[in-house]
């Protein structure tokens, strides 16, 4: 016999009464739901393995092989161009191929103990991403190499500042082991909030999950076969579109990615308004909420369309006219600090909002009568107990398995505190300049930074881990000052912050993939831990191999010029001079936009639902302030396509929209691997397609004729 329970909201009304009043509506919705085709119903006949069965020796051997392969690719890209594309889709595909080959071979030899499932595929992907991610967050092409003597001798005022610490494999491995694991515990308690409650998209994680699900779909599912056909069609188109574009990019600003869609003036570097024909960003726009895409575009227009051109007119007054726009003491300083201020304002508001909701929820659970008596006049404060609509079958099943294997809170808090204590005691031995109280301050603010980065990545698919690292350079470097080796202190602080923020974001994205593939969060956490441990050894070894085998690291014109090593070193040298070294009014503008981000969030939360859906998201607006608006146009094109598709045929758009988006994202993502290999092997594109004005073209023709 079922026991009926009564649940009360904080305004004193009985939720169960509301539920009874809406019974007819719910039955109608459930009837419609049964007519819908559910992805998880296709997998219903398959038994979901336990979290221990999802962790296999086969999976970790495949992970090790793919980790080494991906680390070489990421490391070489980091030391050459400094830009690292997402390798998640290609890692998902390669893990499926390697796992399937292993399984078939074992079956042929009569040694197969368990089939290769989508859960094991996701575990392998998580391990590979965690391991190769250390090649980025380890800073081998930026802050870590920026500490070296070679870079110190080549930067400004080199004679006045000879602080350096040359790379050595022992201290690099030790440093990474000390700082990389803390990020895994930072947001672990908020996994349900981020994935289920806030329903963050994590576009790359969603696309990769869709790809993995399509690989493992049981035979005979008609709808799944249709989705797979759509996925493969758009994946093939995206892959070959990337391949086709490669032939026209033989130089800087060449190819379709530099197409001046809105004219040459809008395309120029200082404006960056153009459609760059990126299938990935169009795909991300397809599955991102419309308000996220519109917020990104508004941010791009406000910054690159209005603010930066206006600030440029103050050149010579607000900052030295002779400095290039990418110098931290000129326009670049405004870009970094204003965007960072908006991100921090949004992050702090949402962090304390979620914290407040959690604490109030706990108080409500443990003191229901008292809380109700005190808060009766307040109607559902902070939407503490939202009266949500019935969940679909997919959501019910995924939520059930996501919450099935809980990670003990005591373990999370204990691990967080233990790692903090170990690293606080150990890091000053690796970097004597980095005092224990600097580390304590970093660890105090890192949860807010990690939340901000994960939240922003969940909305827009952009990780700003390096931006938070730059913030640590300025904050800790200025605190230490030049008299106390502030340059090395700032760079080391950057490494601590980047590793925490990056690994926390990667874990949340992998948990999103796991949520969509019914993979246990516990097995994903274990896989992430093992992958991180692999990366802490593999990445320094790969870097050390390249560092010892080739000369001239960090030298312009060498095989590994590492351009960002100079940038980070210059930032650290600027940081030791403090706020006074920033361009004029930069700090004031940063404070204004910090306050504006909090105010916009407050207005959005207090407005009614009808109006709130049209209020932009400050976190999304802040990203193009620094990166430029080019990708926002691609995402808005994707959003426009989805909007039109839903107006024409909503059922088809909902059924196949994710398949189309996943194909576009994964196809170009998979092309990244052969493209990287071609670049690293020295293969040159045969054509440079550039777009010039009539006058420039006439001058070039005249020069060639002469």
């Amino acid at each position: 016999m079922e026991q009926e329970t009564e649940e009360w909201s904080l305004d004193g009304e009985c939720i169960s009464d509301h539920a009874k009043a809406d019974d007819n509506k719910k039955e109608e919705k459930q009837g419609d739901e049964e007519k819908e085709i559910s992805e998880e119903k296709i997998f219903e006949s398959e038994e979901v393995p336990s979290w221990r069965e999802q962790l296999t020796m086969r999976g970790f051997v495949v992970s090790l092989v793919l980790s080494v392969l991906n680390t070489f690719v990421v490391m070489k890209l980091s030391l050459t161009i400094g830009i690292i594309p997402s390798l998640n889709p290609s890692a998902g595909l390669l893990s499926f191929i390697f796992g399937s080959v292993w399984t078939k071979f074992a079956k042929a030899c009569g040694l197969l103990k368990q089939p290769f499932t989508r859960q094991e595929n996701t575990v392998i992907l998580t391990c590979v991403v965690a391991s190769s991610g250390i090649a980025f967050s380890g800073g081998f092409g930026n802050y870590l190499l920026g500490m070296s003597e070679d870079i110190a001798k080549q930067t400004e005022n080199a004679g006045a500042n000879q602080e350096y610490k040359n790379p050595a494999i022992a201290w690099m491995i030790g440093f990474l082991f000390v700082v990389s694991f803390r990020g895994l515990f930072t947001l672990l308690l908020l996994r349900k909030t981020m994935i289920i409650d806030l329903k963050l998209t994590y576009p790359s994680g969603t696309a990769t999950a869709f790809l993995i699900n399509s690989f493992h779909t049981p035979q005979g599912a008609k709808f799944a076969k249709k989705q797979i056909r759509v996925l493969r069609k758009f994946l093939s188109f995206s892959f070959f579109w990337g391949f086709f574009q490669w032939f026209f990019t033989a130089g800087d600003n060449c190819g379709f990615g530099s197409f001046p869609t809105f004219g040459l003036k809008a395309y120029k570097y200082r404006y960056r308004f153009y459609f760059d024909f990126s299938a990935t960003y169009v795909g991300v726009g397809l599955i991102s909420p419309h308000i996220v895409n519109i917020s990104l575009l508004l941010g791009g227009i406000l910054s690159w369309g209005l603010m930066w051109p206006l600030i440029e007119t103050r050149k010579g007054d607000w900052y030295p006219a002779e400095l290039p726009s990418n110098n931290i003491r000129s326009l670049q300083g405004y870009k970094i600090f204003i965007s960072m201020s908006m991100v921090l304002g949004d992050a702090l508001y949402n962090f304390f909002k979620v914290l407040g909701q959690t604490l109030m929820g706990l108080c409500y659970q443990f003191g229901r009568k008292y809380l109700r008596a005190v808060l009766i006049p307040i109607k559902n404060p902070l939407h503490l107990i939202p009266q949500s609509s019935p969940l679909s079958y997919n959501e019910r099943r995924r939520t059930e398995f996501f919450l099935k294997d809980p990670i003990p809170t005591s373990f999370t808090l204990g691990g967080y505190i233990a790692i903090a204590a170990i690293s606080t005691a150990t890091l000053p031995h690796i970097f004597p300049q980095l005092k224990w109280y600097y580390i304590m301050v970093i660890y105090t603010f890192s949860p807010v930074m990690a939340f901000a980065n994960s939240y922003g990545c969940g909305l827009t698919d952009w990780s700003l881990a390096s931006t938070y690292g730059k913030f640590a350079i300025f904050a800790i470097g200025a605190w230490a000052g030049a008299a106390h080796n502030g340059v090395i202190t700032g760079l080391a602080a950057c490494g601590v912050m980047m590793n925490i923020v990056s690994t926390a974001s990667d874990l949340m994205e992998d948990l999103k993939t796991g949520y969509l593939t019914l993979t246990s969060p516990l097995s994903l956490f274990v896989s992430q831990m093992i992958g991180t441990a692999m990366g802490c050894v593999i990445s320094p070894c790969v870097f050390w191999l390249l560092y010892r085998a080739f000369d001239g690291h960090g030298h312009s014109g060498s095989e590994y010029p590492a351009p960002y090593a100079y940038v980070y070193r210059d930032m650290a040298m600027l940081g030791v001079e403090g706020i006074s070294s920033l361009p004029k009014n930069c700090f004031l503008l940063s404070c204004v936009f910090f306050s504006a981000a909090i105010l916009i969030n407050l207005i959005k939360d207090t407005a009614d639902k009808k109006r709130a859906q049209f209020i932009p998201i400050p976190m999304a607006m802040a990203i193009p302030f620094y990166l430029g608006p080019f990708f926002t146009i691609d995402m808005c094109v994707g959003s426009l396509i989805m909007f039109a598709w839903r107006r024409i045929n909503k059922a088809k758009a909902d059924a196949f929209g994710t398949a189309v988006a996943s194909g576009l994202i994964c196809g170009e993502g998979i092309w990244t691997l052969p493209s990287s290999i071609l670049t690293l092997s020295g293969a040159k594109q045969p054509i440079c397609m550039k777009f010039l004005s009539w006058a420039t073209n006439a001058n070039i023709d005249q020069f060639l004729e002469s």
Side-chain angles (χ1 to χ4, degrees):
M1 181 177 178
E2 294 183 359
Q3 183 181 359
E4 187 175 347
T5 58
E6 217 175 39
E7 196 172 354
W8 291 82
S9 63
L10 292 180
D11 55 7
E13 298 175 327
C14 181
I15 291 177
S16 59
D17 289 342
H18 285 290
K20 290 173 185 175
D22 293 333
D23 272 348
N24 292 335
K25 291 182 181 179
K26 288 185 180 180
E27 285 174 6
E28 289 174 8
K29 286 181 182 178
Q30 288 171 353
D32 292 338
E33 179 197 320
E34 288 174 2
K35 294 176 185 177
E36 293 178 1
I37 301 172
S38 170
E39 183 179 13
E40 287 305 328
K41 282 194 174 181
I42 296 167
F43 290 97
E44 194 174 23
S45 60
E46 289 191 350
E47 182 183 355
V48 178
S50 67
W51 72 270
R52 286 187 177 86
E53 292 173 331
Q54 293 170 20
L55 302 168
T56 64
M57 182 58 67
R58 167 181 58 197
F60 289 120
V61 172
V62 170
S63 298
L64 179 62
V65 174
L66 292 180
S67 294
V68 174
L69 174 64
N70 271 15
T71 298
F72 267 101
V73 172
V74 173
M75 190 67 69
K76 285 200 168 188
L77 289 174
S78 179
L79 292 170
T80 50
I81 60 175
I83 299 171
I84 315 298
S86 174
L87 296 174
N88 287 32
S90 61
L93 175 62
L94 289 172
S95 61
F96 172 74
I97 293 171
F98 276 65
S100 298
V101 169
W102 181 303
T103 303
K104 288 178 181 177
F105 180 77
K107 188 175 182 180
C109 298
L111 301 173
L112 184 63
K113 293 182 179 179
Q114 66 181 76
F116 183 55
T117 63
R118 58 179 176 151
Q119 288 79 23
E120 186 181 351
N121 200 156
T122 307
V123 166
I124 295 173
L125 169 70
T126 299
C127 190
V128 173
V129 170
S131 180
S132 56
I134 300 295
F136 161 70
S137 60
F140 298 97
N142 42 63
Y143 69 82
L144 191 146
L145 192 60
M147 298 179 186
S148 67
E149 185 178 8
D150 282 346
I151 301 298
K153 288 178 178 178
Q154 297 176 67
T155 51
E156 292 182 36
N157 302 320
N161 197 326
Q162 286 295 326
E163 297 178 50
Y164 63 86
K165 185 177 180 70
N166 284 321
I169 194 166
W171 74 256
M172 289 190 296
I173 292 176
F175 171 72
L176 291 175
F177 265 106
V178 168
V179 300
S180 297
F181 289 91
R182 192 172 185 277
L184 303 181
F185 292 87
T186 303
L187 298 180
L188 200 55
L189 290 176
L190 295 178
R191 60 190 182 280
K192 179 179 177 293
T193 301
M194 306 286 276
I195 305 299
I196 297 175
D197 298 338
L198 295 178
K199 299 184 187 300
L200 294 174
T201 311
Y202 290 101
S204 287
T206 299
T208 306
F210 201 92
L211 188 68
I212 290 173
N213 282 337
S214 72
F215 292 151
H216 297 270
T217 302
Q219 296 298 320
K222 291 182 180 179
F223 177 67
K225 285 186 175 181
K226 288 181 182 178
Q227 284 187 314
I228 291 172
R229 280 199 295 270
V230 170
L231 173 71
R232 288 175 177 169
K233 184 189 298 182
F234 282 90
L235 187 147
S236 301
F237 165 77
S238 179
F239 180 88
F240 286 109
W241 174 240
F243 177 56
F244 175 74
Q245 288 188 85
W246 180 83
F247 286 94
F248 300 91
T249 56
D252 293 336
N253 302 318
C254 294
F256 290 91
S258 300
F259 188 86
T261 321
F262 306 108
L264 287 169
K265 190 171 182 180
Y267 165 75
K268 283 181 182 178
Y269 175 76
R270 62 177 181 269
Y271 299 114
R272 304 190 78 180
F273 280 96
Y274 60 94
F275 177 69
D276 72 347
F277 292 90
S278 169
T280 295
Y281 296 137
V282 173
V284 170
L286 278 168
I287 55 179
S288 294
H290 294 310
I291 189 60
V292 171
N293 297 324
I294 296 300
S295 299
L296 286 164
L297 183 60
L298 285 174
I301 293 171
L302 176 62
S303 56
W304 293 80
L306 295 173
M307 287 183 60
W308 304 158
L310 286 173
I311 290 175
E312 270 196 316
T313 64
R314 311 302 298 170
K315 184 189 295 185
D317 179 15
W318 286 16
Y319 60 90
E322 66 274 8
L323 293 177
S325 61
N326 61 349
N327 189 292
I328 197 71
R329 293 176 176 84
S330 65
L331 188 61
Q332 186 76 354
Y334 296 97
K335 295 176 187 176
I336 291 175
F337 281 92
I338 293 175
S339 63
M340 175 60 67
S341 298
M342 287 187 71
V343 168
L344 286 178
D346 187 285
L348 283 170
Y349 179 88
N350 282 286
F351 180 81
F352 286 111
K353 174 186 164 184
V354 170
L355 182 63
Q357 288 177 340
T358 304
L359 292 175
M360 290 180 72
L362 290 172
C363 290
Y364 177 78
Q365 293 296 329
F366 292 111
R368 183 175 300 184
K369 291 184 180 179
Y370 173 75
L371 193 62
R372 185 165 69 247
V374 174
L375 296 177
I376 280 177
I378 301 175
K379 187 174 182 181
N380 199 10
L382 293 175
H383 308 290
L384 179 58
I385 305 176
Q387 300 176 25
S388 57
S389 58
L391 297 175
S392 67
Y393 178 81
N394 276 346
E395 290 175 316
R396 289 198 304 270
R397 185 165 168 81
R398 286 166 177 167
T399 301
E400 175 193 348
F401 280 91
F402 191 79
L403 302 177
K404 183 180 177 183
D405 300 314
I407 301 173
T409 302
S410 57
F411 170 77
T412 304
L413 293 176
Y416 185 87
I417 294 168
I419 292 174
I422 293 169
S423 56
T424 303
T426 307
L427 282 173
H429 293 283
I430 301 174
F431 297 103
Q433 303 92 335
L434 192 65
K435 307 300 182 184
W436 65 269
Y437 42 87
Y438 297 150
I439 302 166
M440 291 298 293
V441 170
I442 294 171
Y443 284 172
T444 301
F445 289 98
S446 61
V448 179
M449 307 288 191
F451 176 83
N453 191 52
S454 296
Y455 181 74
C457 189
L459 289 173
T460 66
D461 211 33
W462 276 97
S463 174
L464 297 178
S466 60
T467 307
Y468 295 102
K470 291 165 189 170
F471 177 79
I473 288 178
F474 285 104
I476 304 300
W479 185 6
H484 297 90
N485 299 313
V487 173
I488 296 297
T489 305
L491 291 171
C494 170
V496 176
M497 183 65 80
M498 266 185 70
N499 276 278
I500 293 171
V501 170
S502 179
T503 51
S505 175
D506 288 346
L507 177 60
M508 284 299 142
E509 185 166 340
D510 291 335
L511 286 173
K512 178 68 176 184
T513 305
Y515 170 76
L516 296 171
T517 57
L518 301 192
T519 309
S520 168
L522 190 52
S523 64
L524 289 177
F525 181 74
V526 172
S527 178
Q528 189 93 7
M529 291 278 285
I530 294 172
T532 302
M534 286 183 184
C536 290
V537 176
I538 294 172
S539 292
C541 289
V542 170
F543 171 77
W544 191 246
L545 176 67
L546 298 176
Y547 188 75
R548 300 292 291 179
F550 298 93
D551 295 325
H553 282 264
H555 290 266
S556 179
S558 68
E559 191 163 354
Y560 297 107
Y564 281 93
Y566 296 99
V567 174
Y568 278 68
R569 179 88 189 186
D570 283 337
M571 285 183 182
M573 293 174 67
L574 177 64
V576 299
E577 299 173 18
I579 293 174
S580 60
S581 64
L582 293 177
K584 189 177 179 181
N585 295 320
C586 181
F587 183 70
L588 174 62
L589 287 171
S590 299
C591 292
V592 169
F593 278 88
F594 177 86
S595 304
I598 295 174
L599 182 62
I600 292 170
N601 273 299
L602 194 60
I603 294 171
K604 191 176 180 71
D605 279 346
T606 52
D608 59 79
K609 271 189 176 181
K610 198 170 184 180
R611 290 185 176 88
Q613 64 180 335
F614 296 108
I615 298 175
I617 302 168
M619 176 72 74
M621 290 181 67
I623 292 174
F625 268 64
Y626 178 62
L627 297 174
F630 63 96
F631 70 97
T632 69
I633 295 166
D634 300 49
M635 290 180 68
C636 282
V637 168
S639 196
L640 184 63
I641 291 170
M642 180 56 74
F643 177 78
W645 193 2
R646 280 182 173 153
R647 292 297 295 267
I648 296 168
N649 191 330
K650 188 177 186 303
K652 264 197 170 182
D654 291 341
F656 297 103
T658 306
V660 172
S662 300
L664 292 174
I665 294 170
C666 294
E668 197 165 77
I670 292 169
W671 162 248
T672 299
L673 188 59
S675 172
S676 301
I677 292 170
L678 286 170
T679 302
L680 298 173
S681 64
K684 299 293 183 184
Q685 300 90 331
I687 303 169
C688 172
M689 182 173 70
K690 273 197 175 182
F691 300 91
L692 308 171
S693 66
W694 176 87
T696 304
N697 186 64
N699 289 335
I700 291 174
D701 286 343
Q702 186 177 2
F703 173 77
L704 292 174
E705 287 173 2
S706 64

